[in-house]
Amino acid sequence: MINYKEAQEIIKSQAVRLSKELIDIDDSMGRVLAEDIIAERDFPPFNRSAMDGIAIQIEDFRKGIRNFQIIETVFAGQKSQKELSAGQCYKIMTGAAVPASADAVIRREDLIENKYTVRVETDHCKRYQNIASKGEDLKKNSIALQAPFKINASGTGFIASLGRQKIWVYKIPEVVIFTTGNEVISVGEQVNDLQIYNSNLHMLKALMLEHKIKPIHTA
C-alpha cells in the first residue's frame, strides 16, 4: 500500500504532454490552449471613443471655446468624411473611430445639445480624454494569450475578438476507471449487510466530465 503523496509522485513521473488538435473556438470551453495567441493587429485597431458625446480639438477648448458646431455624426463602424475647423465638433457614439482631426471626447452628460450646435458645460478637458488609443490594450505581434491556458468563457470571447476562429489545444486524455473491492456493488444491484454501493465510480466519472473527459471503460 502506498500513500496519497507517493501515488501523486508516481503519476507525475509518468505524465507526458498530450498531442494537439485544431478546434473551433465554440468548442474551446474548458480546453487547454496549446499555442500562444498572437495579436495580428493593434487592439483597439483605431482610436476609439469610450463615450457618447462630441469629439473636439483640444486647442479649441483651451482657447475658451464652449459652443461648437456639429459638422457630422460618427457611428461605430463608420469613417468620418470631414475634417474639423476651429469651433467645430463631431457628434460621436461609443465605440466609434475618433477622426484624426479630433483629440478629445466630451461625454454627453456634460453637454447641452441643439440640432446643429452643442454647448460644453464643463471646465475640465484634456487631450485624449475618453479615447481608447490605438494599440492601448495590445500591440500588433504581441502575445495576447500565453499557453498553456485553460479556456473559460471570457477567454473564448477574447480569442474571438482577435479574429481567431480555429485554435490549437491539447487533446483530451483517454481514461479508464477501475474500482475494486469485494464489498463494492454496482448501483441498482442488491446489497447485503456487508456491502456498499460503488459511489466512487460515479463521482470520478462526474469529476472527469467537468473537464470534458469521457471514460472509455469503467469497471
Side-chain angles (χ1 to χ4, degrees):
M1 180 69 70
I2 61 174
N3 64 37
Y4 173 72
K5 288 294 184 183
E6 289 174 326
Q8 271 192 324
E9 292 304 317
I10 291 172
I11 293 171
K12 287 180 181 179
S13 68
Q14 298 298 315
V16 295
R17 181 158 287 181
L18 298 169
S19 57
K20 305 174 184 179
E21 62 179 338
L22 188 65
I23 66 169
D24 191 278
I25 57 169
D26 288 335
D27 300 319
S28 67
M29 183 69 176
R31 302 296 297 271
V32 177
L33 190 65
E35 61 166 331
D36 291 340
I37 302 297
I38 306 299
E40 296 184 356
R41 60 176 181 166
D42 291 332
F43 193 81
F46 48 81
N47 288 350
R48 182 176 60 198
S49 177
M51 297 279 180
D52 287 352
I54 61 170
I56 66 169
Q57 298 179 97
I58 192 63
E59 287 304 316
D60 283 352
F61 188 88
R62 290 173 177 171
K63 291 174 181 177
I65 296 175
R66 295 295 182 269
N67 292 296
F68 291 87
Q69 176 195 2
I70 301 171
I71 64 165
E72 188 178 11
T73 299
V74 184
F75 296 94
Q78 174 187 341
K79 186 177 182 180
S80 66
Q81 303 298 316
K82 300 177 181 179
E83 290 191 7
L84 294 181
S85 297
Q88 295 180 333
C89 71
Y90 303 101
K91 185 176 179 180
I92 196 163
M93 306 301 166
T94 302
V98 178
S101 59
D103 55 4
V105 171
I106 299 176
R107 63 179 188 166
R108 187 177 185 182
E109 291 83 352
D110 293 326
L111 306 171
I112 296 177
E113 185 180 339
N114 297 306
K115 188 172 183 180
Y116 300 111
T117 63
V118 63
R119 176 168 177 79
V120 176
E121 292 289 296
T122 180
D123 291 325
H124 302 284
C125 186
K126 59 183 180 179
R127 178 168 277 137
Y128 303 123
Q129 174 177 292
N130 297 323
I131 296 175
S133 300
K134 178 181 178 181
E136 181 178 299
D137 297 325
L138 280 173
K139 295 293 186 184
K140 182 178 179 180
N141 296 324
S142 65
I143 296 177
L145 203 58
Q146 191 169 28
F149 172 79
K150 187 176 180 181
I151 301 169
N152 52 24
S154 60
T156 298
F158 180 52
I159 293 169
S161 74
L162 298 172
R164 291 290 300 271
Q165 184 178 4
K166 301 282 187 179
I167 56 172
W168 287 97
V169 297
Y170 290 109
K171 286 186 176 180
I172 296 173
E174 296 180 346
V175 176
V176 177
I177 303 176
F178 290 99
T179 53
T180 62
N182 294 332
E183 79 285 9
V184 178
I185 299 299
S186 296
V187 173
E189 295 184 2
Q190 189 65 40
V191 293
N192 62 35
D193 293 342
L194 301 178
Q195 295 174 323
I196 59 174
Y197 288 115
N198 190 0
S199 59
N200 282 343
L201 170 63
H202 298 279
M203 179 188 69
L204 291 170
K205 288 173 68 175
L207 286 169
M208 285 192 292
L209 288 172
E210 285 185 357
H211 300 280
K212 295 194 173 185
I213 302 172
K214 187 175 182 180
I216 59 175
H217 177 69
T218 59

